[in-house]
Amino acid sequence: MGNLPEQFWQASLAELKQGFCHDRTSDTFLCLLCGHRIADGVIYRHGDQLYEAKKYMAIHIAESHGSPFHSLLQLDKKLIGLTEHQKSLLELFYAGHSDSDVAQALQAGSTSTIRNHRFSLREKQKQAKIFLAIMELLAEQPPKKPSFIDLPPSHQPPDRRFAITEQENAKILATYFQAGADGPLDHFPQKEKKRVAIIRQLATHFAPQQTYTEKEVNDILKPLYHDYVLLRRYLIEYGFLDRTADGSAYWRKS
Protein backbone atom coordinates (compact mmCIF):
# COMPACT_ATOMS: atom_id res chain seq x y z
CA MET A 1 0.00 0.00 0.00
CA GLY A 2 1.32 3.45 -0.87
CA ASN A 3 1.49 6.52 1.33
CA LEU A 4 -1.57 6.90 3.50
CA PRO A 5 -3.57 10.17 3.38
CA GLU A 6 -3.01 12.54 6.27
CA GLN A 7 -6.63 12.06 7.32
CA PHE A 8 -5.89 8.38 8.00
CA TRP A 9 -4.22 9.33 11.29
CA GLN A 10 -7.09 11.61 12.31
CA ALA A 11 -9.82 9.07 11.51
CA SER A 12 -11.97 7.50 14.19
CA LEU A 13 -12.00 3.75 14.77
CA ALA A 14 -15.37 3.51 13.00
CA GLU A 15 -13.99 5.34 9.96
CA LEU A 16 -10.90 3.10 9.83
CA LYS A 17 -13.16 0.03 9.91
CA GLN A 18 -15.20 1.25 6.92
CA GLY A 19 -12.12 2.54 5.09
CA PHE A 20 -13.34 6.06 4.36
CA CYS A 21 -14.49 9.26 6.01
CA HIS A 22 -16.58 12.30 5.15
CA ASP A 23 -14.57 15.51 4.73
CA ARG A 24 -16.93 18.34 5.62
CA THR A 25 -14.55 21.02 4.39
CA SER A 26 -14.77 19.82 0.78
CA ASP A 27 -18.06 17.89 1.20
CA THR A 28 -16.45 14.76 -0.19
CA PHE A 29 -15.99 11.17 0.84
CA LEU A 30 -12.30 10.32 1.17
CA CYS A 31 -10.81 6.85 0.86
CA LEU A 32 -8.45 6.48 3.82
CA LEU A 33 -6.51 3.77 2.03
CA CYS A 34 -5.52 5.58 -1.18
CA GLY A 35 -6.79 9.17 -0.93
CA HIS A 36 -9.44 8.87 -3.67
CA ARG A 37 -12.27 11.40 -3.28
CA ILE A 38 -15.82 11.56 -4.55
CA ALA A 39 -18.26 14.44 -4.10
CA ASP A 40 -21.20 14.02 -1.76
CA GLY A 41 -24.67 14.74 -3.10
CA VAL A 42 -23.89 13.20 -6.50
CA ILE A 43 -25.39 10.02 -7.93
CA TYR A 44 -22.83 7.62 -9.42
CA ARG A 45 -23.34 4.85 -11.94
CA HIS A 46 -21.73 1.48 -11.43
CA GLY A 47 -22.69 -1.08 -14.02
CA ASP A 48 -26.44 -0.90 -14.43
CA GLN A 49 -27.05 0.55 -10.97
CA LEU A 50 -27.06 4.09 -9.56
CA TYR A 51 -25.61 4.76 -6.12
CA GLU A 52 -25.42 7.61 -3.65
CA ALA A 53 -21.89 8.81 -2.87
CA LYS A 54 -21.45 6.94 0.42
CA LYS A 55 -22.47 3.60 -1.09
CA TYR A 56 -20.36 4.27 -4.16
CA MET A 57 -17.30 4.85 -1.95
CA ALA A 58 -17.98 1.50 -0.28
CA ILE A 59 -17.92 -0.08 -3.74
CA HIS A 60 -14.60 1.65 -4.45
CA ILE A 61 -13.17 0.18 -1.22
CA ALA A 62 -14.33 -3.32 -2.16
CA GLU A 63 -13.07 -3.19 -5.74
CA SER A 64 -9.79 -1.33 -5.18
CA HIS A 65 -8.74 -2.67 -1.79
CA GLY A 66 -10.68 -5.87 -1.20
CA SER A 67 -11.76 -4.90 2.31
CA PRO A 68 -10.62 -2.54 5.05
CA PHE A 69 -9.63 -5.59 7.10
CA HIS A 70 -7.20 -6.95 4.54
CA SER A 71 -5.90 -3.48 3.65
CA LEU A 72 -5.12 -2.64 7.26
CA LEU A 73 -3.59 -6.06 7.77
CA GLN A 74 -1.16 -5.46 4.90
CA LEU A 75 0.25 -2.28 6.44
CA ASP A 76 3.90 -2.31 7.44
CA LYS A 77 4.79 -4.17 10.63
CA LYS A 78 6.03 -0.98 12.26
CA LEU A 79 2.51 0.46 11.91
CA ILE A 80 0.44 -2.48 13.13
CA GLY A 81 2.94 -4.41 15.25
CA LEU A 82 2.01 -7.84 13.87
CA THR A 83 4.32 -10.58 12.68
CA GLU A 84 3.72 -12.35 9.38
CA HIS A 85 2.57 -15.42 11.30
CA GLN A 86 0.03 -13.37 13.24
CA LYS A 87 -1.22 -11.82 9.99
CA SER A 88 -1.73 -15.29 8.52
CA LEU A 89 -3.64 -16.36 11.62
CA LEU A 90 -5.89 -13.32 11.50
CA GLU A 91 -6.65 -13.82 7.81
CA LEU A 92 -7.76 -17.38 8.47
CA PHE A 93 -9.76 -16.36 11.55
CA TYR A 94 -11.44 -13.61 9.51
CA ALA A 95 -12.38 -16.18 6.86
CA GLY A 96 -14.19 -18.16 9.57
CA HIS A 97 -11.92 -21.22 9.72
CA SER A 98 -11.95 -23.39 12.83
CA ASP A 99 -8.88 -23.83 15.00
CA SER A 100 -8.28 -27.31 13.60
CA ASP A 101 -8.51 -26.00 10.01
CA VAL A 102 -6.06 -23.21 10.82
CA ALA A 103 -3.62 -25.63 12.41
CA GLN A 104 -3.74 -27.81 9.31
CA ALA A 105 -3.45 -24.89 6.88
CA LEU A 106 -0.42 -23.38 8.61
CA GLN A 107 1.05 -26.66 9.81
CA ALA A 108 1.39 -24.88 13.12
CA GLY A 109 0.99 -27.73 15.58
CA SER A 110 -2.15 -28.81 17.39
CA THR A 111 -5.58 -27.23 17.73
CA SER A 112 -4.66 -26.17 21.27
CA THR A 113 -1.70 -24.22 19.86
CA ILE A 114 -4.03 -22.22 17.61
CA ARG A 115 -6.39 -21.72 20.54
CA ASN A 116 -3.48 -20.22 22.48
CA HIS A 117 -2.76 -17.89 19.56
CA ARG A 118 -6.38 -16.71 19.62
CA PHE A 119 -6.04 -16.03 23.34
CA SER A 120 -2.79 -14.09 22.82
CA LEU A 121 -4.37 -11.92 20.13
CA ARG A 122 -7.34 -11.13 22.39
CA GLU A 123 -4.90 -10.15 25.13
CA LYS A 124 -3.15 -7.87 22.62
CA GLN A 125 -6.52 -6.30 21.83
CA LYS A 126 -7.15 -5.59 25.53
CA GLN A 127 -3.68 -4.07 25.91
CA ALA A 128 -4.21 -1.88 22.84
CA LYS A 129 -7.52 -0.59 24.22
CA ILE A 130 -5.92 0.34 27.54
CA PHE A 131 -2.95 1.94 25.79
CA LEU A 132 -5.26 4.07 23.63
CA ALA A 133 -7.09 5.25 26.75
CA ILE A 134 -3.78 6.10 28.42
CA MET A 135 -2.56 8.08 25.40
CA GLU A 136 -5.84 9.99 25.09
CA LEU A 137 -5.70 10.91 28.77
CA LEU A 138 -2.10 12.00 28.30
CA ALA A 139 -3.09 14.18 25.35
CA GLU A 140 -5.86 15.78 27.41
CA GLN A 141 -3.53 16.67 30.27
CA PRO A 142 -3.13 20.46 30.34
CA PRO A 143 0.31 22.03 30.62
CA LYS A 144 1.69 22.96 34.01
CA LYS A 145 2.86 26.29 32.69
CA PRO A 146 0.51 28.92 31.17
CA SER A 147 0.56 29.68 27.48
CA PHE A 148 2.00 33.01 26.38
CA ILE A 149 0.25 33.06 23.01
CA ASP A 150 -1.62 36.32 23.66
CA LEU A 151 1.31 38.27 25.06
CA PRO A 152 3.06 40.78 22.76
CA PRO A 153 6.50 39.60 21.53
CA SER A 154 8.30 42.05 23.83
CA HIS A 155 6.72 40.38 26.86
CA GLN A 156 7.06 36.75 25.78
CA PRO A 157 9.77 34.49 27.20
CA PRO A 158 12.31 32.85 24.86
CA ASP A 159 10.20 29.66 24.70
CA ARG A 160 7.71 30.40 21.90
CA ARG A 161 6.32 26.88 21.51
CA PHE A 162 2.77 28.18 21.44
CA ALA A 163 3.32 31.10 19.08
CA ILE A 164 0.93 30.72 16.13
CA THR A 165 0.90 32.75 12.92
CA GLU A 166 -2.39 33.92 11.43
CA GLN A 167 -1.94 31.45 8.58
CA GLU A 168 -1.31 28.54 10.96
CA ASN A 169 -4.27 29.55 13.09
CA ALA A 170 -6.62 29.70 10.09
CA LYS A 171 -5.49 26.26 8.92
CA ILE A 172 -6.00 24.72 12.37
CA LEU A 173 -9.48 26.19 12.72
CA ALA A 174 -10.48 25.03 9.23
CA THR A 175 -9.34 21.50 10.09
CA TYR A 176 -11.06 21.15 13.45
CA PHE A 177 -14.10 23.39 12.92
CA GLN A 178 -15.19 21.96 9.60
CA ALA A 179 -18.68 23.46 9.83
CA GLY A 180 -17.21 26.93 10.47
CA ALA A 181 -15.18 28.67 13.17
CA ASP A 182 -18.25 29.07 15.39
CA GLY A 183 -18.43 25.31 15.82
CA PRO A 184 -19.08 22.62 16.54
CA LEU A 185 -15.62 21.17 17.14
CA ASP A 186 -15.18 17.97 15.10
CA HIS A 187 -12.53 16.43 17.35
CA PHE A 188 -9.98 17.59 19.87
CA PRO A 189 -6.34 17.66 18.72
CA GLN A 190 -3.54 15.92 20.59
CA LYS A 191 -0.79 18.40 19.72
CA GLU A 192 -0.64 21.17 22.28
CA LYS A 193 -0.04 23.98 19.81
CA LYS A 194 -3.24 23.07 17.99
CA ARG A 195 -5.12 22.78 21.28
CA VAL A 196 -4.15 26.34 22.18
CA ALA A 197 -5.55 27.63 18.88
CA ILE A 198 -8.80 25.71 19.47
CA ILE A 199 -9.21 26.95 23.04
CA ARG A 200 -8.46 30.55 22.04
CA GLN A 201 -11.22 30.33 19.43
CA LEU A 202 -13.65 28.85 21.97
CA ALA A 203 -12.92 31.77 24.30
CA THR A 204 -14.51 34.12 21.77
CA HIS A 205 -17.91 32.67 22.72
CA PHE A 206 -17.62 34.50 26.03
CA ALA A 207 -18.16 38.25 26.22
CA PRO A 208 -15.51 40.37 27.92
CA GLN A 209 -16.48 41.96 31.25
CA GLN A 210 -19.39 39.55 31.72
CA THR A 211 -19.74 37.07 34.57
CA TYR A 212 -21.09 33.57 34.01
CA THR A 213 -22.25 30.80 36.32
CA GLU A 214 -20.78 27.34 35.79
CA LYS A 215 -24.10 26.23 34.28
CA GLU A 216 -24.00 29.12 31.80
CA VAL A 217 -20.44 28.20 30.82
CA ASN A 218 -21.52 24.59 30.31
CA ASP A 219 -24.54 25.65 28.24
CA ILE A 220 -22.25 27.64 25.92
CA LEU A 221 -19.76 24.78 25.53
CA LYS A 222 -22.16 21.83 25.21
CA PRO A 223 -23.16 22.57 21.58
CA LEU A 224 -19.50 22.97 20.66
CA TYR A 225 -18.15 19.59 21.83
CA HIS A 226 -19.48 16.54 23.67
CA ASP A 227 -16.79 16.76 26.38
CA TYR A 228 -17.65 20.29 27.50
CA VAL A 229 -16.03 19.70 30.91
CA LEU A 230 -12.69 19.15 29.15
CA LEU A 231 -13.11 22.41 27.24
CA ARG A 232 -14.01 24.31 30.40
CA ARG A 233 -10.94 22.95 32.18
CA TYR A 234 -8.64 23.94 29.32
CA LEU A 235 -10.13 27.44 29.13
CA ILE A 236 -9.09 27.85 32.76
CA GLU A 237 -5.71 26.09 32.47
CA TYR A 238 -4.63 28.06 29.41
CA GLY A 239 -5.68 31.32 31.02
CA PHE A 240 -8.54 32.36 28.74
CA LEU A 241 -11.17 32.15 31.50
CA ASP A 242 -10.86 32.80 35.22
CA ARG A 243 -13.15 31.85 38.08
CA THR A 244 -13.72 32.34 41.76
CA ALA A 245 -12.21 29.82 44.19
CA ASP A 246 -15.58 28.15 44.76
CA GLY A 247 -16.38 28.02 41.01
CA SER A 248 -19.54 30.10 41.42
CA ALA A 249 -18.50 32.70 38.84
CA TYR A 250 -16.51 32.62 35.59
CA TRP A 251 -15.35 35.43 33.34
CA ARG A 252 -13.23 35.91 30.24
CA LYS A 253 -9.78 37.30 30.96
CA SER A 254 -8.78 40.32 28.92
Side-chain angles (χ1 to χ4, degrees), residues 190-218:
Q190 295 187 1
K191 291 187 177 180
E192 191 168 21
K193 189 173 183 179
K194 294 180 179 179
R195 290 205 302 252
V196 173
I198 297 300
I199 295 301
R200 181 171 57 176
Q201 174 62 25
L202 294 173
T204 64
H205 289 267
F206 298 88
Q209 300 179 342
Q210 181 174 336
T211 301
Y212 301 86
T213 65
E214 184 172 291
K215 182 180 183 302
E216 288 173 332
V217 172
N218 291 342

Side-chain angles (χ1 to χ4, degrees), residues 146 199 202-203 206-218 221 231-254:
I199 295 301
L202 294 173
F206 298 88
Q209 300 179 342
Q210 181 174 336
T211 301
Y212 301 86
T213 65
E214 184 172 291
K215 182 180 183 302
E216 288 173 332
V217 172
N218 291 342
L221 296 176
L231 299 183
R232 190 185 69 214
R233 177 160 60 90
Y234 273 127
L235 283 163
I236 297 295
E237 293 289 344
Y238 282 114
F240 292 103
L241 291 187
D242 205 349
R243 64 181 177 182
T244 57
D246 61 1
S248 60
Y250 290 74
W251 60 93
R252 178 177 168 183
K253 296 178 70 174
S254 57

Side-chain angles (χ1 to χ4, degrees), residues 88-159:
S88 298
L89 286 167
L90 288 168
E91 283 187 310
L92 291 168
F93 293 157
Y94 187 76
H97 293 292
S98 66
D99 291 346
S100 58
D101 290 340
V102 173
Q104 184 176 357
L106 297 180
Q107 297 181 346
S110 64
T111 300
S112 61
T113 300
I114 302 302
R115 194 175 299 119
N116 287 335
H117 282 305
R118 280 189 188 269
F119 176 79
S120 296
L121 288 168
R122 291 193 185 102
E123 289 299 299
K124 189 177 182 73
Q125 178 187 20
K126 294 177 183 177
Q127 293 167 357
K129 184 179 292 186
I130 294 172
F131 180 71
L132 282 174
I134 290 171
M135 292 305 294
E136 288 190 8
L137 290 169
L138 175 63
E140 293 170 1
Q141 182 67 16
K144 298 302 181 185
K145 296 180 180 180
S147 166
F148 300 97
I149 186 171
D150 284 340
L151 294 178
S154 60
H155 291 77
Q156 291 193 8
D159 187 351

